[in-house]
Amino acid sequence: NVRLVLTPWLLTGQLGSFTVGYERMLKKNQSMSFGLGHLQMPTIITTPEGNPVKWISNLRNTGFLVTFDYRFYFSRNKYAKPDGLYWAPYFTYHYIDNKARIELVNSDQIYVEEDLQLYANLAMVGVQIGYQFVLGNRWTVDLILLGPGIGYYDFTLLLDADAQITGDENYIQGIYDALTSLFPGSSTLFGEQRLDDSGRIRFGGGAFRYGFQVGYRF
């Protein structure tokens, strides 16, 4: 079963975000599924009022993701597996390398343009529940419906790409908060996390996976 994972494209709105996957039956009701793809951050048009960061343009926007799950299908449905309800332990890894031109506003309302480099590593493990439909005996639609897990998050922010962030601690934290606020659910995920002196933050916490995939079964 070869498939195209549409979730990265739907979440980011970037045509450059895509994942191809492959599922292979190993036993009557068990399969191994993995995916590999290219990842881009969403295009940021503006930031909320009062934030110290204004996004001007992306200079580099790239990354990749790797996914793996081992599926256990329940009772047989109309078609032979892979068809029907399943559960699966999963692992995912995301890497982001984004360089952008931004405008920073400090407490004195002074506007400065800088290059901001963001590196992000996100690893998650968990258990998912999904359902795969077989259409016309060949085409498949795979829905990952519920996928709670545990994640490890590692972010680094650099100004001017080759120099570590320096300056007022609260101001630098404000830059981080402004960036993370652009993503859905970020307040729950990132909470009250704080950057260290080098502009890096690492923490563990809850994670969640869901997905929409279209494939062709050989």
Side-chain angles (χ1 to χ4, degrees):
N1 184 11
V2 178
R3 59 195 177 207
L4 178 65
V5 184
L6 301 178
T7 311
W9 173 69
L10 293 173
L11 289 177
T12 66
Q14 299 290 320
L15 292 177
S17 290
F18 64 90
T19 302
V20 292
Y22 177 73
E23 181 180 5
R24 182 178 180 83
M25 298 303 299
L26 301 178
K27 298 180 181 180
K28 181 180 179 180
N29 295 321
Q30 299 178 28
S31 73
M32 178 180 64
S33 173
F34 62 89
L36 179 65
H38 185 256
L39 188 63
Q40 293 181 317
M41 287 183 62
T43 298
I44 300 173
I45 300 175
T46 185
T47 54
E49 186 69 25
N51 280 349
V53 180
K54 179 181 179 182
W55 204 276
I56 299 175
S57 63
N58 279 324
L59 303 177
R60 181 173 63 251
N61 191 8
T62 188
F64 68 89
L65 63 106
V66 178
T67 67
F68 174 82
D69 59 66
Y70 193 95
R71 301 184 174 192
F72 297 87
Y73 284 87
F74 292 95
S75 59
R76 182 171 179 171
N77 291 326
K78 180 179 178 180
Y79 299 102
K81 300 296 181 296
D83 174 48
L85 186 68
Y86 65 85
W87 72 275
Y90 72 83
F91 167 80
T92 68
Y93 174 74
H94 300 71
Y95 173 76
I96 293 173
D97 177 359
N98 181 269
K99 184 178 181 181
R101 190 69 175 172
I102 62 172
E103 186 177 77
L104 304 179
V105 186
N106 65 18
S107 58
D108 298 323
Q109 295 299 305
I110 298 176
Y111 297 80
V112 180
E113 287 193 6
E114 298 281 358
D115 290 344
L116 174 70
Q117 175 71 58
L118 167 66
Y119 296 108
N121 295 273
L122 304 89
M124 300 184 294
V125 294
V127 177
Q128 67 190 35
I129 294 177
Y131 197 101
Q132 184 157 223
F133 299 88
V134 176
L135 309 175
N137 201 35
R138 289 296 181 183
W139 292 98
T140 64
V141 175
D142 184 22
L143 303 177
I144 300 174
L145 305 172
L146 183 66
I150 298 174
Y152 171 75
Y153 308 92
D154 184 345
F155 297 88
T156 301
L157 293 176
L158 304 175
L159 285 179
D160 293 327
D162 57 358
Q164 292 184 332
I165 289 178
T166 58
D168 180 75
E169 179 182 348
N170 292 328
Y171 174 62
I172 301 304
Q173 181 66 34
I175 296 175
Y176 170 80
D177 293 339
L179 293 172
T180 57
S181 69
L182 300 172
F183 300 94
S186 60
S187 58
T188 300
L189 174 61
F190 299 105
E192 299 298 323
Q193 303 295 332
R194 302 288 296 180
L195 290 166
D196 62 23
D197 294 337
S198 66
R200 189 176 187 183
I201 182 171
R202 290 172 288 181
F203 62 96
F208 193 84
R209 187 188 187 200
Y210 53 91
F212 174 53
Q213 310 174 94
V214 177
Y216 185 80
R217 190 174 69 163
F218 292 96

